[in-house]
Amino acid sequence: MTEKISEDQVKHVAGLAKLKIDDDQLPYFTTQLDKIIGLFETLSEVDTEGVEPTSSVTDQVNVMREDVAEDWHQQQALLDNAPDTQDGYIRTPTIIDESGENE
Amino acid sequence: MNYFNESLTSIHEKLVTKEISAKDLTQETLNNIQAVDGEIKAFLTVDEASAVKDAEQIDQNGIDADNGLSGIPVAIKDNMLTKGMKTTAASKILENFTPMFDATAVEKLKSFGTVTLGKTNMDEFAMGGSTENSAFKVTHNPWDTTKVPGGSSGGSAATVAAGEVLVALGSDTGGSIRQPASFNGVVGMKPTYGRVSRWGLIAFGSSLDQIGPITRNVQDNATVLNAIAGHDQHDLTSSTKEVPDFTSTLNNGVKGMRIGIPTEFMSQGLDDDVKQTVLDAADEFRKLGATVEEVSLPHTKYGVAAYYIISSSEASSNLQRFDGIRYGRRAKDVKNLEDLYVKSRSEGFGDEVKRRIMLGTFSLSAGFYDAYFKKAAQVRTLMNNDFAKVFKDFDLILAPTAPTPAYGIGEDVSDPMTMYMNDVLTLPVNLAGLPGMSIPAGFSNGLPVGVQLIGRPYDELSVYQAGNAFEQDTDFNQQTPKMGGTN
């Protein structure tokens, strides 16, 4: 069986999705994804020349509404779900790594 | 109290005649869950205090004699938001999440006076077909506790089958209501895409997801869909089409109905007993006056590939929101924001969710989009055309729901491919957005087997009508599992 996806590609795709796959898990994920992508490739047997793709089957077209803000009065409930807050704001760690260790 | 020999009609009568109060009904239901659920493990959260309080309020307002849902305890799949009640989607990443509003379907059900008991177990983010992908517990099939309940709405189907509740809500992206309904011998409806608002349903595949009822019989199911269906301005894909009374044609029978059985659904890989169950169901429909003929859905064999590309792509986009910032799990000891995203997501998501996110990211990524995502979306068009062609001449499609009855716990989890192939009979209905319902239709070695009725878009009425005709003339839904405890 030819390889559909390599360990390096799996690492790359994981990075795009903000996931880290540990090195010892890499062969496990790569083998599984390879098999599934092999299945995906069976679609190449289907003649889709000139066929419009379907992205949704909704019967609604161009749904519009007034662009107005609504106050749900739930600031506290929202903040209660945040992992770290201060003075009514959500706190995050430093955006730029100043230690230089993570490059 | 258990619900094995009850229906919404029988319980409603007891409430109206004050044989039992809403509070006592809720309390006795909770007591039974306490006794039974240690074995079944259908619930992730049971909120006794809020349930009893809600039931007391309903007693105070008085049971509404014209509303069959007044005072009825219900269970909700844990991917639907419930205000003030923990909602996890069975994921560690949402372990401590408490929503500040109700999903529209939950809110509508509540407005009919139902009592929310708690939240049911599921595969993490609804990704899976056995409920074994839950981050928290494994649910057991009440008919044989060594078997899976199916999934992803395994908790909702198992709790109804175990007689713990009469009504549970599930969600169905590729079969997640119908397959567990089949495995548990209960009635599970996936309505037409757009029929029920998805507002407050934690999104998996937004063009496929649909909420629907799981019940013990067809009439109860139609009654619940009456309550939750309808347009919602919060869901831009929810339909503005008029919602009929889904119970109005239940007793009209199937005389003159044309039913098709897709040849491709009956071919290799299908368990012999499942196949026989469908053939027997076809004979039953013929006996009741319908014509049943073979039809063809020629692109069926490409469904699994198309579905897993499309659903994983949509999932990879939807699950970007879980970043550890505003809610959900945040990793400790992080150096910067990038580190926080990656660690929170890598710790919080289970393996199956990671697999789907990676499959989706891959299918959408530069250089692969045309060969995978676009190709799958084109194959989806061809599959939908196959259905449209059949529905020119036929009113309904009859098919097996799942290729096999419930399998053993631990049997399938190691190989995702096997798990994906099990969805081959249910996912075409999601790709086309059609209504599909699984009803109990037989047994195989003591395990229930369901068949699926598929209708034209927005024609849930015919699906319910045929399902009810079948149910009234058979006794499959009157069998109950021989569980320990109160049975």
Side-chain angles (χ1 to χ4, degrees):
Chain A
M1 179 171 137
T2 56
E3 197 182 67
K4 312 287 179 199
I5 190 165
S6 65
E7 291 192 1
D8 280 348
Q9 274 177 299
V10 170
K11 256 187 172 165
H12 172 69
V13 167
L16 290 175
K18 303 275 183 245
L19 291 171
K20 184 172 186 332
I21 305 297
D22 291 334
D23 284 345
D24 59 335
Q25 288 260 297
L26 205 52
Y28 156 80
F29 275 107
T30 306
T31 311
Q32 287 178 338
L33 295 179
D34 193 70
K35 224 167 134 184
I36 297 160
I37 292 165
L39 171 76
F40 288 178
E41 293 194 346
T42 60
L43 293 186
S44 64
E45 295 166 17
V46 187
D47 180 6
T48 52
E49 187 69 40
V51 176
E52 280 294 312
T54 299
S55 58
S56 176
V57 290
T58 180
D59 62 359
Q60 302 294 298
V61 186
N62 295 342
V63 179
M64 303 291 188
R65 64 171 169 79
E66 292 301 313
D67 185 13
V68 283
E70 262 180 80
D71 188 349
W72 288 33
H73 303 288
Q74 290 182 320
Q75 188 189 19
Q76 197 51 50
L78 284 162
L79 288 170
D80 287 346
N81 270 307
D84 192 5
T85 61
Q86 188 186 321
D87 305 330
Y89 292 94
I90 294 169
R91 260 167 62 115
T92 69
T94 322
I95 291 176
I96 298 161
D97 181 5
E98 287 170 342
S99 71
E101 286 168 18
N102 204 39
E103 293 308 309
Chain B
M1 120 147 236
N2 72 55
Y3 291 97
F4 284 131
N5 299 304
E6 304 291 351
S7 65
L8 282 178
T9 314
S10 70
I11 296 293
H12 180 60
E13 195 182 315
K14 287 176 194 173
L15 287 165
V16 171
T17 58
K18 296 193 167 27
E19 190 184 321
I20 192 166
S21 68
K23 185 189 172 186
D24 289 348
L25 178 68
T26 291
Q27 192 57 61
E28 288 183 25
T29 304
L30 288 165
N31 294 348
N32 184 51
I33 290 172
Q34 188 82 37
V36 173
D37 212 52
E39 193 182 5
I40 305 301
K41 300 184 170 65
F43 281 90
L44 288 174
T45 301
V46 175
D47 193 335
E48 293 215 14
S50 86
V52 170
K53 200 172 128 243
D54 289 352
E56 276 173 347
Q57 187 61 51
I58 288 156
D59 281 328
Q60 254 175 43
N61 299 347
I63 294 291
D64 177 357
D66 299 324
N67 163 17
L69 290 168
S70 181
I72 301 293
V74 301
I76 309 289
K77 187 178 181 180
D78 206 29
N79 59 350
M80 288 171 229
L81 304 191
T82 44
K83 188 175 179 178
M85 194 183 281
K86 200 165 76 165
T87 299
T88 69
S91 180
K92 276 195 289 186
I93 212 160
L94 284 176
E95 203 162 7
N96 297 309
F97 177 61
T98 306
M100 37 262 144
F101 62 88
D102 282 319
T104 300
V106 172
E107 189 185 24
K108 285 192 170 199
L109 207 48
K110 269 190 192 168
S111 75
F112 279 78
T114 61
V115 174
T116 305
L117 299 169
K119 308 298 290 289
T120 56
N121 198 19
M122 54 184 283
D123 290 294
E124 183 179 359
F125 287 107
M127 296 172 186
S130 68
T131 310
E132 292 167 289
N133 287 331
S134 166
F136 304 118
K137 56 167 78 163
V138 172
T139 300
H140 297 252
N141 190 312
W143 294 85
D144 176 347
T145 51
T146 68
K147 307 286 187 195
V148 300
S152 67
S153 311
S156 285
T159 189
V160 173
E164 292 177 332
V165 294
L166 277 178
V167 174
L169 291 188
S171 70
D172 190 317
T173 305
S176 283
I177 288 173
R178 290 160 289 153
Q179 182 256 29
S182 175
F183 282 13
N184 287 280
V186 294
V187 177
M189 168 64 110
K190 183 207 88 75
T192 308
Y193 183 81
R195 190 59 109 177
V196 179
S197 168
R198 294 181 294 108
W199 174 253
L201 172 67
I202 296 172
F204 163 12
S206 301
S207 81
L208 307 158
D209 297 340
Q210 191 61 195
I211 293 171
I214 299 176
T215 57
R216 299 193 70 82
N217 68 52
V218 172
Q219 180 172 338
D220 288 0
N221 204 287
T223 303
V224 178
L225 187 59
N226 274 347
I228 63 173
H231 179 250
D232 174 15
Q233 59 160 351
H234 292 304
D235 173 2
L236 302 187
T237 62
S238 94
S239 177
T240 48
K241 275 206 173 59
E242 197 189 332
V243 180
D245 173 359
F246 294 112
T247 64
S248 61
T249 64
L250 283 178
N251 296 317
N252 288 7
V254 295
K255 201 160 274 175
M257 263 195 194
R258 291 155 305 172
I259 301 175
I261 300 183
T263 310
E264 294 81 0
F265 281 43
M266 298 291 279
S267 58
Q268 55 164 351
L270 199 62
D271 175 276
D272 288 342
D273 287 352
V274 172
K275 188 172 188 175
Q276 194 54 50
T277 301
V278 179
L279 296 174
D280 291 347
D283 285 341
E284 175 65 28
F285 281 117
R286 286 191 188 102
K287 193 190 99 185
L288 293 168
T291 56
V292 186
E293 287 168 44
E294 282 207 22
V295 297
S296 179
L297 296 168
H299 293 91
T300 299
K301 70 169 171 171
Y302 300 107
V304 174
Y307 170 83
Y308 275 91
I309 291 172
I310 291 167
S311 63
S312 301
S313 296
E314 293 183 8
S316 75
S317 170
N318 278 323
L319 271 59
Q320 286 179 57
R321 71 192 59 170
F322 300 102
D323 58 6
I325 303 291
R326 295 151 298 155
Y327 49 84
R329 185 190 184 93
R330 180 183 287 190
K332 299 199 166 50
D333 303 322
V334 293
K335 294 195 194 88
N336 55 35
L337 203 57
E338 169 79 9
D339 204 24
L340 182 149
Y341 293 149
V342 172
K343 277 200 179 136
S344 300
R345 288 165 65 82
S346 302
E347 291 173 10
F349 291 137
D351 282 359
E352 181 57 25
V353 175
K354 288 177 185 167
R355 255 190 305 272
R356 306 267 184 124
I357 291 173
M358 288 193 283
L359 285 170
T361 305
F362 174 79
S363 302
L364 293 170
S365 62
F368 296 100
Y369 178 87
D370 279 355
Y372 295 95
F373 186 78
K374 189 179 168 202
K375 186 80 181 179
Q378 288 174 310
V379 172
R380 182 179 190 180
T381 305
L382 296 173
M383 291 180 70
N384 297 356
N385 292 347
D386 290 349
F387 273 116
K389 203 171 153 198
V390 168
F391 281 125
K392 275 185 192 154
D393 300 314
F394 291 84
D395 301 300
L396 287 174
I397 287 171
L398 169 68
T401 306
T404 65
Y407 45 85
I409 289 171
E411 258 175 42
D412 241 15
V413 274
S414 56
D415 182 18
M417 273 281 273
T418 311
M419 193 169 75
Y420 296 179
M421 295 309 286
N422 284 335
D423 298 341
V424 62
L425 305 170
T426 42
L427 56 83
V429 173
N430 300 78
L431 290 171
L434 306 170
M437 176 170 75
S438 182
I439 52 171
F443 288 89
S444 170
N445 299 318
L447 291 169
V449 176
V451 297
Q452 194 180 188
L453 289 165
I454 302 162
R456 297 186 179 102
Y458 299 101
D459 190 16
E460 288 88 355
L461 277 176
S462 296
V463 175
Y464 280 133
Q465 188 178 324
N468 192 58
F470 182 88
E471 186 182 275
Q472 293 302 312
D473 205 53
T474 57
D475 65 355
F476 302 112
N477 83 317
Q478 286 158 37
Q479 320 280 326
T480 52
K482 289 181 178 49
M483 302 172 8
T486 49
N487 188 12

Coordinates of all heavy atoms in Angstrom, one line a residue, chain B residues 210-246:
Chain B
Q210 N -28.8 17.4 13.3 CA -30.3 17.7 13.5 C -30.7 17.1 14.8 O -30.3 15.9 15.1 CB -31.1 17.2 12.4 CG -32.5 17.6 12.3 CD -32.8 19.1 12.2 OE1 -33.9 19.5 12.5 NE2 -31.8 19.9 11.9
I211 N -31.5 17.8 15.6 CA -32.0 17.3 16.9 C -33.3 16.5 16.7 O -34.1 16.9 15.8 CB -32.3 18.5 17.9 CG1 -30.9 19.1 18.3 CG2 -33.0 18.0 19.1 CD1 -31.1 20.4 19.0
G212 N -33.5 15.4 17.4 CA -34.8 14.7 17.3 C -35.1 13.9 18.6 O -34.2 13.8 19.4
P213 N -36.3 13.4 18.6 CA -36.8 12.7 19.8 C -36.5 11.2 19.8 O -36.6 10.6 18.7 CB -38.3 12.9 19.8 CG -38.7 13.8 18.6 CD -37.5 13.7 17.7
I214 N -36.3 10.7 21.0 CA -36.2 9.2 21.2 C -37.2 8.8 22.2 O -37.3 9.4 23.3 CB -34.8 8.8 21.7 CG1 -33.7 9.2 20.6 CG2 -34.7 7.3 22.0 CD1 -32.3 8.9 21.0
T215 N -38.1 7.9 21.8 CA -39.3 7.5 22.7 C -39.5 6.0 22.6 O -38.9 5.3 21.9 CB -40.5 8.3 22.2 OG1 -40.7 7.9 20.8 CG2 -40.4 9.8 22.3
R216 N -40.5 5.6 23.4 CA -40.9 4.2 23.3 C -41.8 3.8 22.2 O -41.9 2.7 21.8 CB -41.6 3.8 24.7 CG -40.7 4.0 25.9 CD -41.3 3.2 27.1 NE -41.2 1.8 26.9 CZ -40.2 1.1 27.2 NH1 -39.1 1.7 27.7 NH2 -40.1 -0.2 27.0
N217 N -42.6 4.8 21.7 CA -43.5 4.5 20.6 C -43.6 5.7 19.6 O -43.1 6.8 19.9 CB -44.9 4.1 21.1 CG -45.6 5.2 21.8 OD1 -45.8 6.3 21.2 ND2 -46.0 5.0 23.0
V218 N -44.2 5.4 18.5 CA -44.3 6.4 17.4 C -45.1 7.6 17.8 O -44.7 8.8 17.5 CB -44.8 5.8 16.1 CG1 -45.0 6.8 15.0 CG2 -43.8 4.7 15.6
Q219 N -46.3 7.4 18.4 CA -47.1 8.5 18.7 C -46.4 9.5 19.7 O -46.5 10.7 19.5 CB -48.4 8.0 19.4 CG -49.4 9.2 19.7 CD -50.7 8.8 20.1 OE1 -51.2 7.7 19.8 NE2 -51.4 9.7 20.8
D220 N -45.8 9.0 20.7 CA -45.0 9.8 21.7 C -44.0 10.6 20.9 O -43.8 11.8 21.2 CB -44.3 9.0 22.7 CG -45.3 8.4 23.7 OD1 -46.5 8.6 23.6 OD2 -44.8 7.7 24.7
N221 N -43.3 10.0 19.9 CA -42.3 10.6 19.2 C -42.8 11.8 18.4 O -42.3 12.9 18.4 CB -41.6 9.6 18.2 CG -40.2 10.0 17.9 OD1 -40.0 11.0 17.1 ND2 -39.2 9.3 18.4
A222 N -44.0 11.6 17.8 CA -44.6 12.7 17.0 C -45.0 13.8 17.9 O -44.9 15.0 17.5 CB -45.8 12.1 16.2
T223 N -45.5 13.5 19.1 CA -45.9 14.5 20.1 C -44.7 15.4 20.5 O -44.9 16.6 20.6 CB -46.5 13.8 21.3 OG1 -47.6 13.0 20.9 CG2 -47.0 14.9 22.3
V224 N -43.6 14.8 20.7 CA -42.4 15.6 21.1 C -41.9 16.4 19.9 O -41.5 17.6 20.1 CB -41.3 14.6 21.6 CG1 -40.0 15.4 21.9 CG2 -41.7 13.8 22.8
L225 N -41.9 15.9 18.7 CA -41.5 16.7 17.5 C -42.4 17.9 17.3 O -41.9 19.0 17.0 CB -41.4 15.8 16.3 CG -40.8 16.6 15.1 CD1 -39.4 17.1 15.3 CD2 -40.8 15.7 13.8
N226 N -43.7 17.7 17.6 CA -44.6 18.8 17.6 C -44.1 20.0 18.4 O -44.2 21.2 18.1 CB -46.0 18.4 18.1 CG -46.9 17.8 17.0 OD1 -46.6 17.9 15.8 ND2 -48.0 17.2 17.4
A227 N -43.6 19.6 19.6 CA -43.2 20.6 20.6 C -41.9 21.3 20.2 O -41.7 22.5 20.4 CB -43.0 20.0 22.0
I228 N -40.9 20.6 19.6 CA -39.6 21.2 19.3 C -39.4 21.7 17.9 O -38.4 22.4 17.7 CB -38.5 20.2 19.7 CG1 -38.5 18.9 18.8 CG2 -38.5 19.8 21.1 CD1 -37.3 18.0 18.9
A229 N -40.3 21.4 17.0 CA -40.1 21.8 15.6 C -40.4 23.3 15.4 O -41.1 23.9 16.2 CB -40.9 21.0 14.7
G230 N -40.0 23.9 14.3 CA -40.4 25.2 13.9 C -39.2 26.2 13.7 O -38.1 26.0 14.2
H231 N -39.5 27.3 13.1 CA -38.5 28.3 12.7 C -38.0 29.0 14.0 O -38.7 29.2 14.9 CB -39.1 29.3 11.8 CG -38.1 30.4 11.4 ND1 -38.2 31.7 11.8 CD2 -37.0 30.3 10.6 CE1 -37.2 32.4 11.3 NE2 -36.5 31.6 10.6
D232 N -36.7 29.3 13.9 CA -36.0 30.0 15.0 C -35.1 31.0 14.4 O -34.2 30.7 13.6 CB -35.3 29.0 15.8 CG -34.4 29.6 16.9 OD1 -34.7 30.8 17.2 OD2 -33.6 28.9 17.5
Q233 N -35.3 32.3 14.7 CA -34.4 33.3 14.1 C -32.9 33.1 14.5 O -32.1 33.7 13.8 CB -34.9 34.7 14.5 CG -34.9 34.9 16.0 CD -34.9 36.4 16.4 OE1 -34.8 37.2 15.5 NE2 -35.2 36.7 17.7
H234 N -32.7 32.4 15.6 CA -31.3 32.2 16.0 C -30.5 31.2 15.1 O -29.3 31.0 15.2 CB -31.2 31.7 17.4 CG -31.6 32.8 18.4 ND1 -31.0 34.0 18.4 CD2 -32.6 32.8 19.3 CE1 -31.6 34.7 19.4 NE2 -32.5 34.0 19.9
D235 N -31.3 30.4 14.3 CA -30.6 29.4 13.4 C -31.0 29.7 12.0 O -32.1 29.5 11.6 CB -31.1 28.0 13.8 CG -30.6 26.9 12.8 OD1 -29.8 27.3 11.9 OD2 -31.0 25.7 13.0
L236 N -30.0 30.3 11.3 CA -30.3 30.8 9.9 C -30.7 29.6 9.0 O -31.2 29.9 7.9 CB -29.1 31.5 9.4 CG -28.6 32.7 10.2 CD1 -27.5 33.5 9.5 CD2 -29.8 33.6 10.5
T237 N -30.4 28.4 9.3 CA -30.8 27.3 8.4 C -32.1 26.7 8.9 O -32.6 25.7 8.3 CB -29.7 26.2 8.4 OG1 -29.6 25.7 9.7 CG2 -28.4 26.7 7.9
S238 N -32.8 27.2 9.9 CA -34.0 26.6 10.4 C -35.1 27.0 9.4 O -35.2 28.2 9.0 CB -34.3 27.0 11.8 OG -35.1 28.1 11.9
S239 N -36.0 26.1 9.0 CA -36.9 26.3 8.0 C -38.1 27.2 8.4 O -38.6 27.1 9.5 CB -37.4 25.0 7.4 OG -38.4 25.2 6.4
T240 N -38.6 28.0 7.5 CA -39.8 28.8 7.8 C -41.1 28.1 7.3 O -42.2 28.6 7.4 CB -39.8 30.2 7.0 OG1 -39.4 29.9 5.7 CG2 -38.7 31.1 7.7
K241 N -40.9 26.8 6.8 CA -42.1 26.0 6.4 C -43.0 25.8 7.6 O -42.6 25.6 8.7 CB -41.6 24.7 5.9 CG -41.2 24.7 4.4 CD -41.4 23.3 3.8 CE -41.1 23.3 2.3 NZ -39.8 23.9 2.0
E242 N -44.3 25.7 7.2 CA -45.3 25.5 8.2 C -45.1 24.1 8.9 O -44.7 23.1 8.2 CB -46.7 25.5 7.6 CG -47.8 25.7 8.6 CD -49.2 25.5 7.9 OE1 -49.3 25.8 6.7 OE2 -50.1 25.1 8.6
V243 N -45.3 24.0 10.2 CA -45.1 22.7 10.9 C -46.5 22.1 11.1 O -47.3 22.7 11.7 CB -44.4 22.9 12.3 CG1 -44.3 21.6 13.0 CG2 -43.1 23.6 12.1
P244 N -46.7 20.9 10.4 CA -48.0 20.3 10.6 C -48.1 19.6 12.0 O -47.1 19.5 12.7 CB -48.0 19.2 9.5 CG -46.6 18.9 9.3 CD -45.8 20.1 9.6
D245 N -49.3 19.2 12.4 CA -49.5 18.4 13.6 C -49.0 17.0 13.2 O -49.7 16.3 12.4 CB -50.9 18.4 14.0 CG -51.2 17.4 15.2 OD1 -50.2 16.7 15.6 OD2 -52.3 17.4 15.7
F246 N -47.9 16.5 13.7 CA -47.3 15.3 13.3 C -48.1 14.1 13.8 O -47.9 12.9 13.3 CB -45.8 15.1 13.8 CG -44.9 16.2 13.1 CD1 -44.3 17.2 13.9 CD2 -44.6 16.1 11.8 CE1 -43.5 18.1 13.2 CE2 -43.8 17.0 11.1 CZ -43.3 18.0 11.9

